[in-house]
Amino acid sequence: MPRLAASLIFSHTSLAAQVDLVRTLEAAGFDRVFFGEAWREPVVPMAAALGNTSSVGIGSAISQIFPVNPVVTAQQVAQLDELGPGRVSVGLGVGASFVVERWFGIPFERPLQRAREFTEVLRGVLASPEEGPFSYDGQLFSVRKYRLPFTDKAPHVPIHLAAVGPRMQALAGEVADGVVIGALHSDRTMEQTLKWLRAGAGKRGRRVDDLHIWYYLACCVSADPDRARALARRSLVYLAQYPHYHAVYAAEGFGEISARIAELVRAKDMEKAEQTVTDEMVERFAVAGTVDECRAQLRRYSDYPGTPVLHLIPFRISEDEVRESFHLAAELAR
């Protein structure tokens, strides 16, 4: 069995209930629990989890970089590391263009350059307690002699980039400590990811083995295996709405089906969209069933590099069912 991580993305679930779930996953031996930025920002849940656990890693996956400043992000990261020394990681991503522009009112421009500079500024500010005041002249960001004022030691926090396309994956290999890849992948797409990570790492004289890979897996665990597979279908429907995931579906031979699913979603015919997801798609892209069935399915990934991140998006799924699935998923790591 590979090591396991989990991604929690909740809207209505209280922080107390989220912390309780993190404790369950920690006790089961999960390697890391990530908080995603969707309906909640991740910093407060991370702080709550760090303050109520003792060993499990806590990370963001993913924090959006368009609506925030990297100096402020460095302050947040350093304080999180103060709460849980050595347990924090930060995952950065550009987000979706329609989210950035619709919700935050920011033009979605030069995402690759922004990701590069944001990472460089974040790393430089985190190093400033030991290396001295940090200055930076970039195309998008400028910093003049800033030093973290509340610590004398540089927080050593891994920085991961969310990367689906080849250029962002190459950038992750060049400037980050690891990569968070999307929720749809295969042996072929993983080979392509390693190729681009290797190309980026080579620019800095590093090896791909120096990077950590986190790959998301749609996962639903239930005492009722049919229910688990039905809910997994809903996560696969959700992913079909995004162009980059449609491209993966298409590359794996499901392009026509994915396009049909997206069309049905736009028409708000969700039930038919779910029915259009084939059993083969569930088997290829998700882990779903009873604890024993999911444990057997996870062994398919034993030769994958990196760590699987189990997730279940509350898309037409109650958050009660999502939490129940994760409590059962804790058994997978035992």
Side-chain angles (χ1 to χ4, degrees):
M1 283 288 293
R3 294 185 305 166
L4 296 176
S7 172
L8 307 185
I9 303 177
F10 291 116
S11 172
H12 305 300
T13 298
S14 68
L15 287 175
Q18 293 187 50
V19 167
D20 179 65
L21 180 52
V22 175
R23 285 172 170 166
T24 297
L25 297 171
E26 177 183 55
F30 268 63
D31 186 72
R32 187 164 295 270
V33 177
F34 292 105
F35 289 91
E37 182 173 352
W39 300 284
R40 289 178 182 249
E41 60 80 45
V43 174
V44 172
M46 288 174 67
L50 287 164
N52 290 278
T53 57
S54 59
S55 61
V56 67
I58 300 294
S60 62
I62 293 297
S63 296
Q64 298 189 60
I65 64 173
F66 269 92
V68 295
N69 181 278
V71 175
V72 175
T73 299
Q75 293 174 350
Q76 294 170 329
V77 170
Q79 291 177 97
L80 289 170
D81 186 67
E82 186 178 346
L83 285 174
R87 294 201 285 141
V88 177
S89 65
V90 56
L92 307 174
V94 297
S97 59
F98 70 90
V99 172
V100 170
E101 296 182 349
R102 185 185 305 167
W103 288 4
F104 305 126
I106 301 171
F108 190 81
E109 297 173 350
R110 306 182 71 184
L112 202 69
Q113 184 66 23
R114 181 172 289 265
R116 175 185 292 278
E117 293 191 15
F118 197 105
T119 303
E120 291 173 346
V121 172
L122 176 59
R123 197 181 295 283
V125 172
L126 290 176
S128 66
E130 295 178 10
E131 297 186 4
F134 174 71
S135 295
Y136 187 86
D137 274 312
Q139 298 175 30
L140 301 173
F141 294 106
S142 178
V143 181
R144 289 287 177 271
K145 296 183 178 180
Y146 182 84
R147 181 189 182 281
L148 284 175
F150 49 82
T151 178
D152 295 325
K153 294 184 178 179
H156 296 288
V157 175
I159 301 172
H160 306 123
L161 283 183
V164 176
R167 292 195 300 165
M168 192 65 78
Q169 289 177 352
L171 179 64
E174 181 182 351
V175 304
D177 300 300
V179 63
V180 181
I181 61 176
L184 297 179
H185 36 75
S186 65
D187 290 340
R188 185 194 63 80
T189 60
M190 185 62 78
E191 288 177 5
Q192 290 297 312
T193 294
L194 291 173
K195 169 188 172 182
W196 290 108
L197 288 175
R198 190 175 294 112
K203 294 181 178 180
R204 295 291 178 94
R206 300 194 297 172
R207 303 174 305 151
V208 72
D209 292 343
D210 297 329
L211 307 170
H212 196 91
I213 298 172
W214 305 93
Y215 57 94
Y216 271 52
L217 277 176
C219 176
C220 186
V221 190
S222 173
D224 179 350
D226 291 333
R227 181 62 177 169
R229 285 184 278 272
L231 297 185
R233 279 182 164 82
R234 295 181 183 180
S235 279
L236 298 183
V237 166
Y238 177 85
L239 296 173
Q241 301 175 84
Y242 293 90
H244 50 276
Y245 286 131
H246 171 69
V248 177
Y249 277 132
E252 295 299 309
F254 301 100
E256 291 185 8
I257 298 174
S258 173
R260 177 60 176 155
I261 293 169
E263 178 183 315
L264 289 166
V265 170
R266 287 192 294 271
K268 302 188 184 305
D269 192 345
M270 298 301 183
E271 290 189 10
K272 196 164 184 178
E274 291 167 20
Q275 294 168 4
T276 305
V277 177
T278 66
D279 291 341
E280 185 181 1
M281 291 172 72
V282 174
E283 183 178 351
R284 178 80 67 87
F285 297 117
V287 171
T290 65
V291 170
D292 288 340
E293 288 173 334
C294 290
R295 186 177 286 116
Q297 292 167 34
L298 278 169
R299 292 194 176 96
R300 298 197 305 254
Y301 301 93
S302 58
D303 293 333
Y304 262 41
T307 305
V309 182
L310 307 184
H311 78 109
L312 184 61
I313 301 167
F315 174 71
R316 302 191 74 235
I317 303 172
S318 76
E319 294 193 4
D320 288 343
E321 283 191 292
V322 173
R323 291 197 306 276
E324 179 184 356
S325 174
F326 272 116
H327 278 290
L328 288 171
E331 298 297 320
L332 299 173
R334 296 187 191 278

